[in-house]
Amino acid sequence: MSKSKWQVDSTHSSIDFTIKHMMIAKVKGTFNTFTAEIEADLADLTSASIRFTVDASSIDTRNTDRDNHLRSADFFEVEKYPEISFKSTHIKKTGDGEYDVTGDVTLHNVTRAETFSIVFEGAGKDPWGNEKVGFSGQGKIKRSDYGLTYNAVLETGGVLISDDIKLAIEIEASKQQ
């Protein structure tokens, strides 16, 4: 087989995150707007090429004040750095349908290599005959690695916001003709 281009179906896909708040609870959010370019041979996913571009201003934690703070210079500084990007550099098969995908993440004008665990969920045809594929992924990045260091020390010890951000990705994509 040869590589095919796949277009992400944003209505059936998501990029979500979780961060610990006050050392006792988790806050979840999502990025509502993103695009992806995927070129892959389903017979050999280790040769795939993956690029994601996320609109940082599309952050949504279901709280307008918090979202506006996250868009500010304390965090994403979206007017200066409107996009978060990922470009794969290496894919290693780790099990049946399981892969470690390493790539360059660019956030807040800092680029670092990060690795995400990805599961190939399968392929099939929708009722209209379109070929579809599904992937799930998870990973973790440290926000301080990207210069996102805003925080506050708590009276009871610890900090207001954890350094670790957990990411969860669900992708459904259609084969391009």
Side-chain angles (χ1 to χ4, degrees), residues 12-160:
H12 295 105
S13 301
S14 62
I15 298 177
D16 302 320
F17 63 89
T18 305
I19 191 163
K20 203 134 189 200
H21 183 250
M22 292 184 52
M23 311 294 288
I24 59 170
K26 294 177 183 172
V27 172
K28 294 184 176 195
T30 193
F31 290 97
N32 290 318
T33 306
F34 59 92
T35 59
E37 298 172 24
I38 301 171
E39 272 192 57
D41 175 353
L42 297 184
D44 179 14
L45 289 172
T46 62
S47 67
S49 171
I50 306 162
R51 287 178 180 256
F52 274 87
T53 304
V54 176
D55 176 356
S57 70
S58 75
I59 194 165
D60 182 358
T61 64
R62 300 179 318 278
N63 181 291
T64 302
D65 290 341
R66 178 173 48 219
D67 294 346
N68 287 335
H69 189 205
L70 291 168
R71 291 180 188 109
S72 78
D74 284 344
F75 291 97
F76 290 114
E77 201 170 355
V78 299
E79 290 195 16
K80 191 172 182 182
Y81 309 110
E83 296 179 342
I84 302 165
S85 65
F86 172 83
K87 180 182 181 226
S88 64
T89 56
H90 181 74
I91 301 173
K92 177 183 172 187
K93 187 170 185 163
T94 59
D96 188 24
E98 298 176 352
Y99 301 84
D100 281 346
V101 177
T102 300
D104 293 330
V105 172
T106 301
L107 167 61
H108 209 249
N109 206 35
V110 176
T111 301
R112 295 182 49 90
E114 302 282 359
T115 300
F116 300 92
S117 298
I118 304 295
V119 175
F120 175 56
E121 299 290 355
K125 287 192 178 187
D126 69 15
W128 302 274
N130 300 305
E131 289 184 60
K132 302 277 191 165
V133 292
F135 299 93
S136 295
Q138 59 185 9
K140 181 170 66 172
I141 64 171
K142 290 194 174 300
R143 62 190 185 90
S144 61
D145 288 346
Y146 297 91
L148 302 175
T149 57
Y150 174 88
N151 222 333
V153 176
L154 298 174
E155 212 176 277
T156 55
V159 291
L160 183 64

